[in-house]
Amino acid sequence: MGITILRQSATIGGLQDQGTPARPLSQPPCRLSGIDVELAGAGDNKSGIWECEPGRFERQLANAEVMHILVGACTFTPTDGAALEIRAGDTLFFPAHTTGEWHVHETLRKVFVVIAQQ
């Protein structure tokens, strides 16, 4: 079991194309890319680096998620909630079943951990 280091994760290259959001709200849909990082002993939890170009889409992830924004700026508006301005340096903790709308203003890159459902 080794330690994985992603040096300079805010600018690291080699992100893999991940297509477009499942529920885009802008045309053309924003493009997604990322690096998934296997973490021994983390069970079904998922982690990595994720990037999104400017655009809008619905968040439909049923899992809880922790993320730290490395680069960019966006607005997230929870369903039935007020818009939240988010920018580089912010850390977010999303409860399971959080839905709403992402509006990415500047290409957004984050480190994430998606918590496996119980």
Side-chain angles (χ1 to χ4, degrees):
M1 173 168 34
I3 296 171
T4 299
I5 299 175
L6 298 180
R7 302 219 183 262
Q8 302 303 310
S9 54
T11 58
I12 192 171
L15 277 65
Q16 299 169 347
D17 181 51
Q18 295 179 339
T20 59
R23 295 188 178 190
L25 298 172
S26 58
Q27 291 299 325
C30 43
R31 300 293 307 174
L32 308 175
S33 57
I35 299 171
D36 292 330
V37 177
E38 297 269 338
L39 187 57
D44 292 332
N45 298 317
K46 301 194 181 314
S47 62
I49 304 289
W50 180 88
E51 185 172 279
C52 180
E53 295 176 354
R56 295 174 43 235
F57 62 96
E58 287 183 54
R59 182 180 198 273
Q60 296 295 312
L61 188 63
N63 304 66
E65 180 178 10
V66 176
M67 64 182 76
H68 180 75
I69 308 302
L70 298 168
V71 174
C74 68
T75 304
F76 181 76
T77 305
T79 302
D80 300 323
L84 305 169
E85 297 296 324
I86 300 164
R87 61 184 27 101
D90 292 346
T91 303
L92 293 80
F93 299 84
F94 279 77
H97 306 289
T98 300
T99 59
E101 180 183 320
W102 285 104
H103 185 175
V104 177
H105 309 290
E106 300 170 16
T107 297
L108 193 72
R109 184 177 286 200
K110 67 181 182 180
V111 174
F112 71 88
V113 176
V114 174
I115 310 302
Q117 291 187 4
Q118 299 295 323

